[in-house]
Amino acid sequence: MFARTAQSEQIRFNKTPLENDLQLSYTWKDKSKERHQFSFTLPLSDIKTSHHKRFVPQQVTRYQYIAMQKERNNIDAKDARIEIKRIGQSLQIKVNSRSQQAAKKYQQQLLEAKDNAFEQYLSDNYYSHFSDYLGQQGIKPDHLRYISENQAVLKPFAQAMYLEASESGDMRAFLNLLLSWLQSIPYDDLENRLSSNGAGFSPPLALLSNNRGDCDSKSVLMASVIRALFPQIELVMLYLPNHALLGIAIPLVDDEQGLQIAGEPYVLMEPTGPALMSLNETASSSQRAIDTGMYSYEIIP
């Protein structure tokens, strides 16, 4: 369903350091112009360690070089003479041995050490492999890991927001309030996902502390909050060209059709802003991309 909506309005944002916590206070207006106020605290210790590191190719090369040197030290010098050279951001391996079979085996060992070091770098710095709708391969911030690891700290906030939205526990009222709050947080542009090396992504607590974030960051925060309360509900993160949004598997109402993924209908959510969009409303650009298959997705565990 297409939406032509008003722009979000964050009226006030305050950040107050306490002894061990940071108090965050928001005032904003939702789509119906209703004014909302909401405050909560987050542990300062968690906020200080919540920043995302940019992907740095030179660091990857260093990881790989050290790992290959360690692997070389495990190989008897009598069996092979091994040379590893760093040339810019690439590594060259030269293995000399009396046995061609041994030379091939040792070269394979070194290449495996190199590959394992790359995976270790991704893990240490919260990155994961990514394939876009064209099948182009790259890396991106590990959104699923951030969602998993931020649920516990965000659960008190999620519970309070749920009660604020509806005393009767209306899931749609909760999602719409959460959407309007996120849409009112100032927006940062997303750089190209495949070429930005993770620049611009803000993990949930950094986004809250800095009061700004791009579409990937806001989608991860929203998924973290939902998952903190509803560990079994089906969630999906959709990746469009230079954009991201969420889908949630809740019962369809009225004329909703949802987006079918793996046989399951998902209601879409656009947390990015600044346009105020309710549950199942999408930007025209998002809908065009989805209708033409220009998206990939990850199921959120």
Side-chain angles (χ1 to χ4, degrees), residues 72 75-84 93-98 103 106 110:
R72 184 182 69 172
I75 298 171
D76 193 331
K78 295 178 181 178
D79 292 339
R81 189 177 64 190
I82 298 170
E83 186 178 6
I84 304 169
I93 311 168
K94 191 174 183 181
V95 181
N96 290 314
S97 175
R98 295 177 181 177
Y106 295 138
L110 292 164

Side-chain angles (χ1 to χ4, degrees), residues 10 120 144 150 171 185 189 197 200 216 220 226 252 261 297:
Q10 187 182 73
Q120 188 63 51
L144 301 187
N150 281 277
M171 168 69 89
I185 293 174
D189 286 333
N197 291 345
D216 284 32
V220 167
I226 295 171
L252 304 177
I261 296 178
Y297 66 88

Side-chain angles (χ1 to χ4, degrees), residues 159-171 173-174 177:
Q159 291 171 328
M161 178 70 81
Y162 191 71
L163 291 174
E164 175 76 14
S166 172
E167 293 181 0
S168 62
D170 185 335
M171 168 69 89
F174 164 65
L177 182 63

Side-chain angles (χ1 to χ4, degrees), residues 10-22:
Q10 187 182 73
I11 300 169
R12 186 175 296 110
F13 169 73
N14 290 319
K15 181 166 60 173
T16 307
L18 306 176
E19 184 176 357
N20 297 309
D21 299 311
L22 184 68

Side-chain angles (χ1 to χ4, degrees), residues 12-191:
R12 186 175 296 110
F13 169 73
N14 290 319
K15 181 166 60 173
T16 307
L18 306 176
E19 184 176 357
N20 297 309
D21 299 311
L22 184 68
Q23 183 181 59
L24 302 174
S25 300
Y26 301 83
T27 304
W28 77 98
K29 288 184 179 179
D30 64 17
K31 190 176 180 182
S32 62
K33 301 297 182 182
E34 183 178 351
R35 187 182 178 112
H36 297 275
Q37 291 181 307
F38 197 77
S39 296
F40 60 95
T41 60
L42 293 171
L44 276 171
S45 57
D46 289 334
I47 292 174
K48 289 177 181 177
T49 59
S50 67
H51 296 283
H52 181 73
K53 296 179 181 178
R54 186 186 181 101
F55 183 88
V56 181
Q58 294 88 339
Q59 290 180 356
V60 177
T61 304
R62 184 171 179 273
Y63 263 63
Q64 294 175 318
Y65 182 74
I66 292 171
M68 293 167 72
Q69 290 285 9
K70 287 180 179 178
E71 189 63 32
R72 184 182 69 172
N73 292 339
N74 293 328
I75 298 171
D76 193 331
K78 295 178 181 178
D79 292 339
R81 189 177 64 190
I82 298 170
E83 186 178 6
I84 304 169
K85 286 185 178 180
R86 295 178 62 173
I87 301 176
Q89 294 179 19
S90 65
L91 296 169
Q92 288 188 354
I93 311 168
K94 191 174 183 181
V95 181
N96 290 314
S97 175
R98 295 177 181 177
S99 165
Q100 186 175 0
Q101 185 176 0
K104 186 177 180 180
K105 182 184 75 170
Y106 295 138
Q107 179 141 357
Q108 185 62 34
Q109 282 181 220
L110 292 164
L111 290 174
E112 286 179 3
K114 181 182 178 183
D115 290 343
N116 290 338
F118 180 71
E119 297 303 319
Q120 188 63 51
Y121 176 88
L122 297 185
S123 177
D124 289 347
N125 293 278
Y126 282 67
Y127 279 93
S128 64
H129 294 280
F130 173 73
S131 178
D132 70 6
Y133 72 97
L134 292 173
Q136 297 179 103
Q137 301 297 311
I139 62 159
K140 65 169 182 58
D142 193 343
H143 298 141
L144 301 187
R145 186 174 173 189
Y146 278 115
I147 293 167
S148 174
E149 293 186 2
N150 281 277
Q151 292 170 35
V153 70
L154 289 171
K155 188 168 185 177
F157 158 77
Q159 291 171 328
M161 178 70 81
Y162 191 71
L163 291 174
E164 175 76 14
S166 172
E167 293 181 0
S168 62
D170 185 335
M171 168 69 89
R172 286 177 172 259
F174 164 65
L175 293 173
N176 277 319
L177 182 63
L178 190 58
L179 278 167
S180 71
W181 168 70
L182 278 164
Q183 290 160 358
S184 74
I185 293 174
Y187 171 68
D188 268 347
D189 286 333
L190 170 71
E191 298 184 46

Side-chain angles (χ1 to χ4, degrees), residues 158-291:
Q159 291 171 328
M161 178 70 81
Y162 191 71
L163 291 174
E164 175 76 14
S166 172
E167 293 181 0
S168 62
D170 185 335
M171 168 69 89
R172 286 177 172 259
F174 164 65
L175 293 173
N176 277 319
L177 182 63
L178 190 58
L179 278 167
S180 71
W181 168 70
L182 278 164
Q183 290 160 358
S184 74
I185 293 174
Y187 171 68
D188 268 347
D189 286 333
L190 170 71
E191 298 184 46
N192 183 280
R193 191 173 290 111
L194 287 175
S195 63
S196 68
N197 291 345
F201 177 74
S202 291
L205 302 191
L207 187 159
L208 292 171
S209 177
N210 296 328
N211 192 42
R212 60 193 312 109
D214 63 13
C215 53
D216 284 32
S217 306
K218 289 189 178 186
S219 293
V220 167
L221 173 55
M222 185 169 189
S224 302
V225 173
I226 295 171
R227 183 57 84 232
L229 285 185
F230 304 100
Q232 302 303 323
I233 201 164
E234 297 290 337
L235 285 172
V236 65
M237 191 153 174
L238 296 174
Y239 300 102
L240 283 56
N242 299 326
H243 189 51
L245 64 157
L246 293 169
I248 185 168
I250 58 175
L252 304 177
V253 298
D254 299 329
D255 60 346
E256 288 179 345
Q257 295 183 1
L259 176 65
Q260 293 285 331
I261 296 178
E264 185 82 36
Y266 286 84
V267 176
L268 298 181
M269 302 178 289
E270 287 262 24
T272 304
L276 282 166
M277 295 185 181
S278 303
L279 190 65
N280 198 44
E281 290 183 334
T282 55
S284 57
S285 56
S286 296
Q287 196 61 52
R288 281 195 300 271
I290 291 168
D291 289 344

